[in-house]
Amino acid sequence: MTISESLRKRIIEQAQNRCGYCLVSAQFIYAPMEIDHLIPTAKGGKDTEDNLWLACPRCNNHKSDLLDVVDPVTSITVRLFDPRTQIWSEHFEWSKDDLAKIVGKSAVGRATVDTLKLNSNDNLQFRRLLVSIKHYPPFL
């Protein structure tokens, strides 16, 4: 990956130092945030600003080189959520019963939640801790 430090800083600023998928702040992540290729380089994606966003290691690890995934409700193939061009709240919301749980509102949202395992037990436990100290969800 040939991403300059100045480009990395711009991406961090644009993403408000949050993972583009789970929206957890970098200050609470156990490892450095990663620069995610929205279109993976394995699928022709470039190291250009319009193809890069910030992701926590958990989300980025599950994303890997995936681009098109299946909505578990409709079985339709969709693109994973693109945090650079799509609006998070149009595709996701927090469960009213458990603010740590991310719910997909659209095919893109559901497929992203499922593929990135956003509601795995480990992720939920971690976000519940953040909820308990009022550091998650970020915009409520």
Side-chain angles (χ1 to χ4, degrees):
M1 190 181 315
T2 56
I3 298 170
S4 70
E5 190 58 31
S6 63
L7 178 54
R8 180 178 176 75
K9 286 179 181 179
R10 280 198 312 276
I11 301 300
I12 290 169
E13 184 178 301
Q14 291 165 4
Q16 298 178 331
N17 210 22
R18 295 186 180 283
C19 175
Y21 304 101
C22 69
L23 298 185
V24 170
S25 173
Q27 72 184 16
F28 300 113
I29 299 297
Y30 63 93
M33 296 289 265
E34 300 173 356
I35 300 296
D36 172 39
H37 286 81
L38 300 169
I39 299 174
T41 55
K43 304 239 167 103
K46 306 293 182 205
D47 290 340
T48 55
E49 188 168 343
D50 63 341
N51 189 47
L52 302 173
W53 202 251
L54 202 61
C56 72
R58 285 184 180 199
C59 288
N60 205 29
N61 184 50
H62 287 296
K63 182 177 179 269
S64 186
D65 66 349
L66 298 173
L67 184 59
D68 296 316
V69 294
V70 176
D71 171 17
V73 173
T74 65
S75 299
I76 295 171
T77 299
V78 296
R79 285 268 166 119
L80 278 170
F81 175 71
D82 179 342
R84 179 170 282 287
T85 63
Q86 293 177 303
I87 298 170
W88 196 91
S89 61
E90 289 180 5
H91 298 280
F92 310 96
E93 63 187 358
W94 291 284
S95 169
K96 289 159 186 49
D97 298 327
D98 180 353
L99 290 176
K101 185 174 183 182
I102 298 170
V103 178
K105 293 170 41 176
S106 66
V108 167
R110 291 187 300 267
T112 300
V113 167
D114 188 58
T115 301
L116 301 188
K117 303 187 182 344
L118 295 181
N119 293 319
S120 69
N121 286 335
D122 287 346
N123 286 336
L124 284 174
Q125 187 175 23
F126 174 64
R127 291 196 306 263
R128 283 180 183 132
L129 174 63
L130 294 178
V131 169
S132 75
I133 60 172
K134 301 189 183 334
H135 285 288
Y136 195 87
F139 307 118
L140 288 183

